[in-house]
């Protein structure tokens, strides 16, 4: 049971105290003081492990099912005894230029917060340390945890969006670089980048509605005075969503430009091939005529016949070369 528990503590007036082994006793201790709350952090609990937590805190069965199965969209649900929120933290791998998303669930109730993390990238440890260093914020109870976690996740969205913009600029420079060589893998790189942006959108876009709700009307288990802080998070999320939409449009434009350039290059290649084929066809035709071995052929008995035919072929080929060169085919 303790293996899935990342951290457990009671916070009284913003100060951390040890958490009892028995969750019921710890929760009762937090509620009895009136100015404390219990925060338990879990990492990928099994169904058997989480059933005990759900029973002790009276968590709703639907929310428990979502927390165990993961693969949820960001959302906010309010039940009788708790509030349930799903966030999708983003992890950006700079070496591979890839994005992966984890899942972070928060149960907020009367004097308790239960966080469930799936995957990597959730900033819970850093958020907990930052809150413990600022007791004035922790005095606001579970709402402070909900705000701090949401703010950390959304701020990281903005950082990842900035990194993706840098990667896209490098990709644009590669696409529009004059005289670049092998471009066989460019379309694949652009498509892979678009998939990363799509993964990013799945994390940021659905979160807009929950943030708007927290920033607006009163939500159970959330302190009313926290609405301005959630509005700030909502504003940051709007910035992140606008960046994601801009990235999606730009990468589509880059892909279209690359495909257009590929088509233009193919047309240029076909024109060059056609021009060289036309120049090769003239001497081939003349030589073919004189290679038919008929007895009566023009100028067969003339000593200047052979050089005259060669000069004729060379003159026609040169004329075609000048014509195609002037028209930009060569």
């Amino acid at each position: 049971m303790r293996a899935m528990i990342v951290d457990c503590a009671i916070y009284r007036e913003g100060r951390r105290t040890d958490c009892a082994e028995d969750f019921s006793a710890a929760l009762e201790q937090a509620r009895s003081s009136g100015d404390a709350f219990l925060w338990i952090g879990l990492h990928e609990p099994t169904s058997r492990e989480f059933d005990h937590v759900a029973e002790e805190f009276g968590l709703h069965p639907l929310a428990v099912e979502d927390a165990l199965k993961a693969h949820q969209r960001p959302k906010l649900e309010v039940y009788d005894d708790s509030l349930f929120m799903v966030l999708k933290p983003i992890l950006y791998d700079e070496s591979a230029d890839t994005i992966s998303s984890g899942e972070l669930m928060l149960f907020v109730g009367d004097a308790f917060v239960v966080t469930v993390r799936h995957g990597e990238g959730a900033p819970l440890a850093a958020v907990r340390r930052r809150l413990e260093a600022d007791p004035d914020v922790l005095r606001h109870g579970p709402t402070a945890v909900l705000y701090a976690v949401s703010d950390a996740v959304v701020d990281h969205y903005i950082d990842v969006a900035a990194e993706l913009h840098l990667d896209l600029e490098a990709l644009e420079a590669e696409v529009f670089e004059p005289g670049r060589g092998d471009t066989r893998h460019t379309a694949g790189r652009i498509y892979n980048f678009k998939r990363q942006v799509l993964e990013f959108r799945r994390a940021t876009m659905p979160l807009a509605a929950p943030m708007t709700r927290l920033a607006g009307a009163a939500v159970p288990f959330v302190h009313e005075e926290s609405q301005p802080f959630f509005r700030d998070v909502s504003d940051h999320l709007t910035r992140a969503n606008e960046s994601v939409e801009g990235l999606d449009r730009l990468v589509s434009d880059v892909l279209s430009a690359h495909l257009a350039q590929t088509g233009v290059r193919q047309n240029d290649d076909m024109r060059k091939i056609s021009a060289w084929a036309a120049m090769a066809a003239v001497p081939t035709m003349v030589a073919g005529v004189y290679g038919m071995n008929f007895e009566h052929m023009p100028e067969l008995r003339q000593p200047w016949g052979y050089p005259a035919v060669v000069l004729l072929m060379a003159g026609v080929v040169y004329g075609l070369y000048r014509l195609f060169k002037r028209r930009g085919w060569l």
Side-chain angles (χ1 to χ4, degrees):
M1 185 66 184
R2 301 296 298 184
M4 69 165 180
I5 300 176
V6 178
D7 202 347
C8 177
I10 295 176
Y11 295 92
R12 181 176 291 105
E13 295 185 355
R15 302 293 180 181
R16 179 186 178 114
T17 59
D18 292 335
C19 176
E21 292 285 340
D22 185 359
F23 293 152
S24 296
L27 182 59
E28 183 63 27
Q29 180 183 353
R31 285 175 173 170
S32 61
S33 63
D35 57 355
F37 70 95
L38 173 66
W39 182 2
I40 300 177
L42 310 177
H43 179 243
E44 297 182 355
T46 64
S47 177
R48 182 178 180 180
E49 291 171 334
F50 199 57
D51 283 345
H52 176 65
V53 177
E55 181 180 356
E56 294 292 342
F57 289 91
L59 305 180
H60 196 278
L62 293 177
V64 171
E65 181 182 358
D66 290 343
L68 288 173
K69 290 185 177 180
H71 303 292
Q72 305 294 319
R73 298 175 76 247
K75 63 180 180 179
L76 176 67
E77 301 286 351
V78 178
Y79 300 102
D80 293 337
D81 298 324
S82 63
L83 176 149
F84 177 63
M85 187 168 185
V86 179
L87 299 166
K88 293 182 75 70
I90 290 295
L91 183 63
Y92 178 67
D93 186 353
E94 295 184 12
S95 60
D97 292 335
T98 57
I99 284 179
S100 59
S101 61
E103 291 194 34
L104 180 58
M105 288 83 168
L106 293 95
F107 295 88
V108 178
D110 180 18
F112 73 85
V113 178
V114 177
T115 56
V116 182
R117 178 169 62 88
H118 292 268
E120 302 298 330
L124 286 181
V127 170
R128 191 186 285 261
R129 287 194 301 268
R130 188 165 62 250
L131 284 174
E132 289 177 355
D134 192 354
D136 291 337
V137 176
L138 268 178
R139 285 194 181 96
H140 293 86
T143 301
V145 178
L146 180 62
Y147 160 72
V149 172
S150 303
D151 185 56
V153 170
V154 171
D155 283 349
H156 190 60
Y157 288 162
I158 297 176
D159 295 337
V160 172
E163 293 289 342
L164 289 178
H165 272 288
L166 293 177
D167 290 343
L168 183 57
E169 289 176 1
L171 196 57
E172 284 180 313
E174 178 183 336
V175 169
F176 295 105
E177 180 183 359
R180 59 199 178 102
D182 188 8
T183 61
R184 289 175 297 176
H185 304 295
T186 302
R189 289 187 57 196
I190 297 173
Y191 182 72
N192 181 66
F193 190 91
K194 192 170 182 64
R195 288 179 61 88
Q196 306 309 314
V197 174
L198 178 61
E199 182 71 17
F200 200 179
R201 286 173 63 96
R202 289 173 180 166
T204 63
M205 292 297 180
L207 188 57
M211 282 295 113
T212 300
R213 185 177 178 186
L214 289 171
V219 178
F221 308 106
V222 177
H223 202 286
E224 293 184 1
E225 295 181 359
S226 66
Q227 291 178 2
F229 297 93
F230 284 109
R231 279 199 293 270
D232 182 67
V233 177
S234 181
D235 291 341
H236 291 180
L237 180 62
T238 300
R239 285 179 51 197
N241 283 331
E242 289 174 350
S243 296
V244 173
E245 290 177 354
L247 284 168
D248 190 48
R249 288 194 300 268
L250 284 173
V251 74
S252 297
D253 292 341
V254 170
L255 180 59
S256 299
H258 171 68
L259 295 177
Q261 285 182 334
T262 301
V264 170
R265 282 193 297 270
Q266 289 177 343
N267 288 336
D268 289 340
D269 293 340
M270 288 302 300
R271 286 188 299 183
K272 291 178 181 179
I273 293 171
S274 300
W276 286 112
M279 288 188 291
V282 173
T284 301
M285 180 188 68
V286 175
V289 169
Y290 280 90
M292 289 189 293
N293 297 321
F294 289 110
E295 180 179 354
H296 301 287
M297 293 289 292
E299 314 302 340
L300 284 179
R301 305 297 181 181
Q302 300 296 333
W304 47 264
Y306 177 75
V309 171
V310 172
L311 287 174
L312 174 65
M313 290 189 293
V316 174
V317 170
Y318 180 72
L320 290 174
Y321 176 81
R322 291 293 301 273
L323 176 64
F324 293 143
K325 192 73 172 179
R326 187 166 58 249
R327 294 187 175 182
W329 285 34
L330 293 174

